[in-house]
Amino acid sequence: MRKKIIAGNWKMNMTYEEGQKLTSEIVQMAKDENLDGVTLVLNPPFPHLYVVKKLIGEASNIFVGAQNCSDKESGAYTGEVSAPILASFGVDYVIIGHSERREYFKESNELLATKVKQALAAGLKPIFCCGESLDIREAGTHEPNVKYQLTDSLFDLSAEEISQVVIAYEPIWAIGTGKTATAEQAQEMHSALRRHIASKYGKEVADSISILYGGSMKPSNAAELLSKPDVDGGLIGGASLKSRDFIDIAKSY
Ligand code: PGA
C-alpha cells in the first residue's frame, strides 16, 4: 500500500507566532478528527523546523519537512543548510526541486540530483517536484518533458534509494494561480510517471512510490483529484496556511 500524503508547503510565509498557532491547530484537529490514515507533512521555513517538530510531539502521522537543502554536505557555504544538519534536528522530509527554486534560483536537474543524494544519505525523504510550464503544456510535449526531469535527476539512484523518494507533480501553470489541473490531467501524468519509473525499476518499485499532485489544491477540488488511482496525495501551498483548509483537504480521502 502506498502512503497517502498531504504535505503543506508554507513557502516564505508565517512569523514565529503564526507558525506555532498554525501547527498547534493542525495537530489538535488531526487528533480530534481521527486523521490517522493520512500522513501529514508540514514544510515551514527553516527557523520554524525545530519548534514545529516539538509541537507535533507524539503524533505518529505528522512529520516535519524543510523546503530545500544544500547540495553540499558541510563547509564554508554561508547561508546554506545541509541535509545532515536538518536530519540532526529531527527533520523527516525535504522538498527538492520546487519550480520556484528551479526558476528563481536557477536550480538545474543536475544540481537537484546531487541534492536528492545528499538528502537520502542523511536519511531524509526527498519530496521531488517536477512539472511543466504553460508553453510546454500548450505545445503538447508535457509528458516527455516531465519524464525527462525524473530521468535526469532520479534515475541514477538505486531501486532502494528511489523507493525513499516521494514525487510531487506540480504543473507550473497551476501553482498559486487558482487554476487547477483537472483530475483527468493529473491522473494521466501520474500514471505516465509511474510507468516511466516501472520501465527503469520494475512495477513493484513504481507501485510503492507516492506521487502527489500540487497546484491550487483546495478543499473544494481535493476529493476529485484524490479519488484518482495514481494520485497519492497533495503538495499544498496557499491552502496549507489555514489549518481548517489543510485538514479538510486531508479529510477528502
Ligand atoms: P499552491 O502551491 O497550492 O499555492 O498552488 C503549491 C506548491 O507550490 O507547492
Side-chain angles (χ1 to χ4, degrees):
M1 263 291 273
R2 288 193 285 275
K3 254 195 197 159
K4 297 172 173 182
I5 301 174
I6 299 293
N9 175 9
W10 297 6
K11 307 194 179 182
M12 200 172 71
N13 295 297
M14 296 279 138
T15 61
Y16 178 61
E17 271 86 20
E18 289 165 348
Q20 279 198 62
K21 182 168 178 284
L22 177 62
T23 307
S24 306
E25 287 172 2
I26 288 171
V27 171
Q28 194 59 45
M29 286 179 186
K31 192 170 161 210
D32 293 346
E33 300 174 36
N34 295 320
L35 270 176
D36 301 349
V38 183
T39 296
L40 302 178
V41 186
L42 308 182
N43 299 268
F46 288 130
H48 290 273
L49 289 166
Y50 184 70
V51 176
V52 168
K53 174 89 186 171
K54 291 265 170 245
L55 290 172
I56 291 170
E58 299 299 306
S60 59
N61 63 326
I62 314 182
F63 297 86
V64 66
Q67 297 173 18
N68 181 30
C69 70
S70 173
D71 61 315
K72 307 287 195 303
E73 194 181 335
S74 65
Y77 300 100
T78 302
E80 289 291 275
V81 179
S82 71
I85 293 175
L86 293 171
S88 76
F89 277 89
V91 171
D92 307 292
Y93 288 80
V94 57
I95 298 173
I96 291 178
H98 190 281
S99 62
E100 288 149 17
R101 303 254 7 134
R102 292 175 187 262
E103 185 183 349
Y104 306 137
F105 302 95
K106 305 286 171 259
E107 295 193 354
S108 65
N109 290 346
E110 197 186 357
L111 178 85
L112 299 175
T114 314
K115 290 191 175 196
V116 168
K117 290 222 170 90
Q118 282 292 339
L120 289 169
L124 301 175
K125 288 188 195 311
I127 301 177
F128 178 80
C129 300
C130 56
E132 81 285 358
S133 63
L134 186 58
D135 288 1
I136 288 171
R137 168 65 60 169
E138 284 174 346
T141 52
H142 44 285
E143 212 175 283
N145 179 277
V146 179
K147 280 183 185 169
Y148 183 71
Q149 293 172 29
L150 258 56
T151 310
D152 225 17
S153 295
L154 301 181
F155 280 16
D156 273 348
L157 299 175
S158 67
E160 207 178 304
E161 286 171 325
I162 202 167
S163 302
Q164 299 302 310
V165 177
V166 174
I167 291 172
Y169 167 59
E170 300 205 302
I172 299 167
W173 45 272
I175 296 178
T177 57
K179 205 170 156 186
T180 321
T182 63
E184 288 68 33
Q185 285 172 324
Q187 169 58 25
E188 195 178 44
M189 182 64 86
H190 285 222
S191 124
L193 295 179
R194 200 177 305 286
R195 277 182 272 119
H196 187 50
I197 297 167
S199 71
K200 163 93 181 167
Y201 294 98
K203 192 171 176 325
E204 201 179 318
V205 170
D207 282 346
S208 73
I209 294 179
S210 298
I211 307 181
L212 318 183
Y213 168 80
S216 300
M217 199 192 259
K218 43 187 182 265
S220 59
N221 60 26
E224 203 188 342
L225 286 157
L226 296 170
S227 72
K228 294 294 174 192
D230 286 292
V231 178
D232 307 311
L235 181 55
I236 325 292
S240 76
L241 302 177
K242 292 193 190 116
S243 52
R244 187 68 269 161
D245 284 1
F246 185 63
I247 292 292
D248 281 350
I249 291 171
K251 282 171 81 175
S252 313
Y253 257 125

